[in-house]
Amino acid sequence: MLRCPSRRIQLHAIRHIGKRAASSESRGGGAGIGNVHPQLFPTDDSTLFRHVAHPRTVSVVGAPMTYGQPFVGTDRGPELLRESGLLNDLSSLGWRVEDIPDLDFDTICAEAAKSSNAAAMSINAKHSLQVGAGCSVLADLVESKLRQGRFPLILGGDHSIGIGSLAGILRAKPETGVIWVDAHADLNVPSVSESGNMHGMPIGLMMKELIPDRSIIPGLEWMENESKDGSGPPQLHPDSLVYVGLRDIDQAERRFIKQLGIKAFTMYDIDYLGIGRVMDLAFEHLMKKNPDRPLHLSYDIDAVDPVHAPATGTAVRGGLTWREAHFVAEYVVKTGSLASAEIVEVNHTLSDGDGANDTVELGHNLVNAFLGESIL
C-alpha cells in the first residue's frame, strides 16, 4: 500500500534540499531553491482591501520592541525587513507607501522606566512600564492611520506590540475580527503567567473576562481610557478571535480557551482538515456576526516550522510549512476584508547567518502576501 510521506519526512527533505541549493548558490551555479525570485505584479482585483480608502496607502510602522521577552535582537526586525527590499516590493504591488520612521522605543521606554516603583517591580508583568509606554504610542499611531483610511502594516518587534496594535485597531474599528497566527496563544494575564513575559499577554490583556481593570498594571493605565468616539476602552470579544497554528499552550490558556469558547485551530486541526478547510472555518466563524467586518492579521513568525524560520525566540517544532504559511495570508487577503496586519518575533541573533537570512526572507515574503502578492 502506498503511503504519503509524513510531515516530519517532508520537512527533513526540504531542509536537505535547501542546504544543497544554498551550497549551489554560494558557488554561483544552478537555479536551485532560493535562486529564482518571482516577479511582483499589482493586483487587479478591486474587491480586495475594501476597508482601505483609495488610492490605497500602506502605512509601514516600525515597532522595534524587545522588552516583552528576554532576548535582545527583536528590535532590529523592522530594520532588517526594510533592508531586504520590502518597501520597493510594496510599491511594485501597487500600493502608495508611507514609510514611518521606527518608533523611538529606546527613548520612550527609558523615560518610562524612570517612574519604576514597588508596584511595577512586584507585578508579574516584566518591564510593564516600558512595554506599556511603547504600546501607548503605537496604539495612537495605528488608530490615526485607520481613521485616515490607510492600511497599518506593523513590523515588530516582539509580540507584546500586539497590545498597542489591538488597542489602536479596536478604538478605531471596534467590530474588527482578529486572526492570530502563532504557535502560542498569548492569552496570559499577570495572575496566571508562568514567565511574566508580556509577549505572552497581548490577547489576554484585551479581554475583560480575564482582566476587568488593566489599570492595576503599571504602564497600562491608558488602556482604560475612553475611545475618542465614546465607545469605551478597547476590548476584544472572545467570539471576535480565531487562532491558527497553535501547538504550545500554557495550562491556564487551555482553560481560558475552553471557558470563553474561543475558536482555535491547532496544528492537529491543520494536519487533519488541511489548511484550506481550516481557513474556511476561521473566516465563517468571524464573519457570521457581521459579514462586512474588517479583519486584522497578527502573524508571529514562530507559527512557521523552525526548518523555515529558525531565527525566533520561542521556536517549536511541527509548525506551518512554507506553503501553509503563505496560504494563510493569501486566503485572508482574498476575502477582501483585511484592513491591517503585523509581523513579529523575527530575531536574527538566534540563528546562524543562513538561518537568520532565511527567517528575514520568509518574513518579507509573508508581508508581500499580506499586501496582495499572489501566484496568478
Side-chain angles (χ1 to χ4, degrees), residues 85-322:
L86 176 64
L87 302 183
N88 286 337
D89 280 1
L90 300 183
S91 179
S92 296
L93 288 169
W95 289 85
R96 296 174 68 246
V97 179
E98 178 191 21
D99 185 21
I100 300 170
D102 287 358
L103 298 176
D104 185 7
F105 284 164
D106 285 343
T107 301
I108 294 168
C109 296
E111 189 64 28
K114 292 178 181 179
S115 61
S116 182
N117 52 35
M121 297 296 291
S122 64
I123 196 162
N124 187 31
K126 296 174 182 176
H127 312 299
S128 66
L129 291 171
Q130 293 94 322
V131 172
C135 286
S136 175
V137 174
L138 176 60
D140 289 344
L141 181 57
V142 169
E143 178 184 10
S144 171
K145 295 307 170 184
L146 282 170
R147 293 189 185 279
Q148 293 174 38
R150 298 184 176 181
F151 185 106
L153 171 64
I154 304 107
L155 309 178
D158 68 58
H159 219 163
S160 68
I161 67 166
I163 300 168
S165 301
L166 288 176
I169 290 164
L170 294 169
R171 288 195 308 222
K173 297 179 180 291
E175 71 280 12
T176 297
V178 176
I179 299 177
W180 202 262
V181 186
D182 203 320
H184 311 89
D186 298 344
L187 192 57
N188 280 296
V189 290
S191 61
V192 300
S193 174
E194 297 175 10
S195 69
N197 294 327
M198 294 192 71
H199 73 162
M201 302 185 190
I203 293 291
L205 292 174
M206 299 308 301
M207 292 195 172
K208 64 181 179 181
E209 294 86 353
L210 301 182
I211 183 163
D213 182 7
R214 293 160 295 193
S215 66
I216 64 173
I217 303 174
L220 297 188
E221 297 86 355
W222 58 271
M223 292 188 72
E224 294 302 325
N225 295 338
E226 291 284 326
S227 299
K228 292 180 180 178
D229 59 4
S231 60
Q235 301 280 355
L236 180 64
H237 298 287
D239 63 359
S240 293
L241 169 68
V242 172
Y243 287 115
V244 174
L246 293 180
R247 60 188 183 279
D248 184 18
I249 310 168
D250 293 343
Q251 182 176 354
E253 293 175 316
R254 291 166 64 94
R255 184 171 71 251
F256 293 156
I257 288 171
K258 293 175 181 179
Q259 288 177 349
L260 299 175
I262 297 171
K263 182 67 74 173
F265 295 99
T266 68
M267 287 307 304
Y268 170 85
D269 299 307
I270 292 170
D271 287 338
Y272 183 73
L273 297 172
I275 193 63
R277 182 58 179 154
V278 163
M279 294 308 298
D280 282 343
L281 293 171
F283 183 68
E284 289 171 11
H285 174 79
L286 288 174
M287 307 309 278
K288 64 185 177 183
K289 185 165 70 173
N290 178 0
D292 195 43
R293 75 187 323 181
L295 296 179
H296 172 63
L297 179 61
S298 185
Y299 211 121
D300 190 323
I301 200 76
D302 75 19
V304 187
D305 193 273
V307 166
H308 307 295
T312 188
T314 47
V316 186
R317 290 180 178 179
L320 299 173
T321 66
W322 179 275

